[in-house]
């Protein structure tokens, strides 16, 4: 099955909307089907998957209902012409068909889209410290319940004795300082592991991601970004073993040995320091950078030697406006410390442009579209990530899509227009849809 999916993912030069949709259909054509020969097989697995994805892509939970009505009234529909759906199953049929599909079957497609952006040089402006790409990683909850659960749920007993069931995703994203868009990479999920008695956790899931994808992204040259959870020797060593660099938040309470070294070098005046002043509006701020190289990450003979840097931002009255510190495998000096800190602070983009966008900008990442008994919840979450990635890709690779987005005041307005058009008008293909939107937003000058 994996070989069939990989065969459907051919490199495209240049990358186009049509090529991405073709890749999407090619992967969905090879989804596993656990139905026996005696089961009703009226609907193809690809139709179920494409139907679900189309609702996420259009950010319209009612998209399929409107397309069924359009088919009855006009003899064609946009689910068919835009996404390649031959027959639209009902919602329950979609859930039942997709429940047995592991989410990792879609991971090669997500990786393929990123690879296409990389090969076609859309990502070159994302290179940062030491010419590496920054990949931020963080766990995020997208489902919790005291009653609904499945085989992939994590469970915990609360103080009052109740059990809570949760789904947690670890969705790495490519980020860069000054870049609004983030690029979703294949995710990993926190879920019970065969042969393990302990509960799975975010850190273990992130470790599995490194094992699975480090070879794939080796040529990219990656610097991992993460919070203090990741800034401990076992995970840092795993990142290095995976041929990746790292910049992780480093808190004093979690790293007493490292901060003893910092204190010693501060007392002897041997710590590197750089002070910069800047203006934000009519306010004058002072950034003080302190840094050290080759300090032990923990108190042990085999301690990993890392670089450490702290940034303190103060206002004119000496009020501390910002303070944070990081540990890294990159060496620091007075020439790169500012760029180094910009790279470190880009980690927040996984929250602001990543997880918050998925949860508050129309993707409804935390909504229970269907939980199922096996993989459904994680599979649908993967489809939402895929839709988000394709929106980002369309904005780069198609001038018309980009022009339509520019002509409208916001992302929300764009999807309002898209939903309204697809509800009432059938389009022959994506060229027809984008051309129509662009012509109506920018009518020709008749003199």
């Amino acid at each position: 099955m994996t070989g069939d999916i990989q065969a459907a993912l051919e490199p495209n030069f240049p990358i186009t909307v049509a090529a991405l949709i073709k890749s999407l259909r090619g992967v969905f054509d090879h989804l596993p089907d656990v139905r026996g020969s005696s089961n009703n097989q009226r609907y193809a697995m690809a139709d179920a998957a494409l139907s679900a994805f189309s609702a996420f892509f259009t950010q319209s939970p009612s998209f399929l209902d409107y397309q069924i009505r359009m088919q009855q009234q006009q003899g064609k529909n946009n689910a068919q012409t835009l996404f390649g759906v031959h027959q639209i199953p009902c919602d329950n049929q979609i859930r039942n068909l997709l429940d047995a599909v592991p989410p990792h079957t879609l991971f090669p497609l997500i990786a393929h889209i990123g690879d296409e952006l990389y090969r076609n040089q859309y990502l070159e402006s994302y290179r940062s410290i030491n010419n590496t790409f920054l990949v931020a990683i963080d766990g995020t909850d997208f489902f919790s319940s005291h009653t609904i659960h499945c085989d992939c749920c994590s469970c915990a007993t609360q103080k009052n004795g109740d059990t809570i069931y949760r789904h947690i995703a670890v969705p790495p994203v490519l980020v860069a300082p000054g870049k609004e868009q983030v690029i979703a990479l294949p995710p990993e999920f926190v879920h019970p592991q065969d042969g393990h008695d302990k509960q799975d956790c975010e850190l273990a899931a992130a470790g599995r991601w490194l094992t699975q994808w480090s070879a794939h992204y080796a040529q990219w040259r990656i610097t991992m970004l993460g919070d203090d959870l990741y800034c401990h020797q076992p995970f840092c060593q795993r990142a290095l073993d995976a041929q990746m660099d790292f910049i992780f938040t480093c808190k004093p309470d979690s790293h007493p040995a490292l901060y003893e070294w910092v204190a010693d070098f501060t007392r002897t005046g041997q710590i590197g320091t750089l002070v910069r002043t800047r203006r934000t509006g009519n306010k004058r701020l002072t950034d003080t950078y302190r840094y050290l190289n080759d300090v032990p990450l923990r108190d042990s003979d085999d301690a990993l030697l890392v670089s450490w840097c702290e940034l303190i931002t103060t206002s004119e009255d000496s009020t501390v406006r910002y303070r944070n510190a990081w540990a890294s495998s990159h060496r620091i000096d007075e020439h790169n410390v500012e760029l180094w800190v910009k790279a470190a602070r880009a980690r927040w983009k996984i929250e602001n442009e990543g997880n918050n966008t998925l949860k508050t900008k129309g993707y409804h990442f935390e909504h229970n579209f269907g939980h199922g008994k096996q993989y459904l919840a994680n599979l649908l979450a993967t489809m939402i990530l895929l839709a988000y990635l394709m929106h980002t890709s369309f904005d780069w690779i198609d001038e018309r899509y980009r022009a339509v987005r520019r002509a409208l005041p916001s992302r929300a307005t764009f999807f309002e227009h898209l939903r309204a058009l697809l509800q009432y008008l059938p389009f022959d293909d994506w060229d027809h849809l984008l051309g129509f939107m662009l012509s109506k937003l920018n009518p020709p000058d008749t003199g």
Side-chain angles (χ1 to χ4, degrees), residues 363-416:
Y363 293 96
H364 305 293
F365 195 60
E366 293 179 301
H367 180 75
N368 180 20
F369 290 99
H371 197 81
K373 297 180 180 179
Q374 299 182 69
Y375 303 110
L376 184 63
N378 287 349
L379 179 69
L380 296 182
T382 302
M383 286 189 178
I384 293 172
L385 291 169
L386 177 59
Y388 180 38
L389 174 59
M390 290 191 72
H391 291 152
T392 304
S393 302
F394 280 20
D395 203 27
W396 279 343
I397 67 178
D398 195 286
E399 174 59 34
R400 296 160 305 171
Y401 186 94
R402 191 162 55 250
V404 171
R405 286 291 308 273
R406 281 200 305 262
L408 296 170
S410 67
R411 173 197 289 264
T413 304
F414 169 79
F415 282 105
E416 287 173 5

Side-chain angles (χ1 to χ4, degrees), residues 126 174-176 178-183 349 353 388 391-396 405 411:
Y126 275 64
L174 185 68
V175 301
K179 299 292 185 181
E180 293 184 2
Q181 294 171 312
V182 302
I183 296 87
K349 290 182 176 293
E353 282 83 2
Y388 180 38
H391 291 152
T392 304
S393 302
F394 280 20
D395 203 27
W396 279 343
R405 286 291 308 273
R411 173 197 289 264

Side-chain angles (χ1 to χ4, degrees), residues 28-29 31-49 87 89 93-94 96-101 374:
F28 285 7
D29 275 336
L31 294 181
D33 188 350
V34 299
R35 291 175 293 180
S37 57
S38 61
N39 295 113
N40 182 357
Q41 297 193 20
R42 175 185 175 188
Y43 297 104
M45 292 297 297
D47 284 344
Q87 287 184 291
Q93 289 167 323
I94 291 173
N96 290 336
L97 288 171
L98 297 183
D99 191 23
V101 178
Q374 299 182 69

Side-chain angles (χ1 to χ4, degrees), residues 50-202:
L50 288 165
S51 294
F53 175 80
S54 67
F56 298 138
F57 186 92
T58 60
Q59 297 193 352
S60 174
S62 302
F63 174 73
L64 297 176
D65 292 336
Y66 288 121
Q67 302 316 303
I68 291 172
R69 188 180 310 166
M70 184 180 292
Q71 181 67 36
Q72 294 170 346
Q73 295 174 350
Q74 303 190 50
K76 60 180 179 178
N77 68 83
N78 292 309
Q80 179 186 64
T81 58
L82 300 182
F83 297 98
V85 179
H86 297 131
Q87 287 184 291
I88 302 174
C90 71
D91 290 350
N92 285 337
Q93 289 167 323
I94 291 173
R95 296 187 185 99
N96 290 336
L97 288 171
L98 297 183
D99 191 23
V101 178
H104 64 73
T105 55
L106 300 187
F107 293 177
L109 175 58
I110 294 176
H112 169 75
I113 295 173
D115 292 345
E116 289 298 283
L117 295 174
Y118 175 83
R119 277 192 287 262
N120 285 271
Q121 298 189 324
Y122 288 101
L123 304 182
E124 284 306 301
S125 63
Y126 275 64
R127 291 194 180 275
S128 183
I129 187 74
N130 291 335
N131 206 35
T132 62
F133 287 109
L134 306 176
V135 172
I137 192 165
D138 192 21
T140 183
D141 285 44
F142 63 94
F143 171 83
S144 65
S145 173
H146 289 287
T147 56
I148 300 173
H149 60 93
C150 68
D151 294 343
C152 289
C153 279
S154 298
C155 63
T157 302
Q158 298 179 299
K159 291 182 179 180
N160 62 4
D162 291 345
T163 299
I164 186 169
Y165 301 96
R166 304 164 63 200
H167 277 276
I168 305 166
V170 180
V173 292
L174 185 68
V175 301
K179 299 292 185 181
E180 293 184 2
Q181 294 171 312
V182 302
I183 296 87
L185 302 181
E188 183 57 63
F189 292 95
V190 177
H191 60 87
Q193 299 294 300
D194 292 339
H196 292 256
D197 295 329
K198 291 184 178 180
Q199 283 277 350
D200 196 25
C201 65
E202 175 186 335

Side-chain angles (χ1 to χ4, degrees), residues 30 122 243 412:
H30 293 97
Y122 288 101
Q243 304 301 308

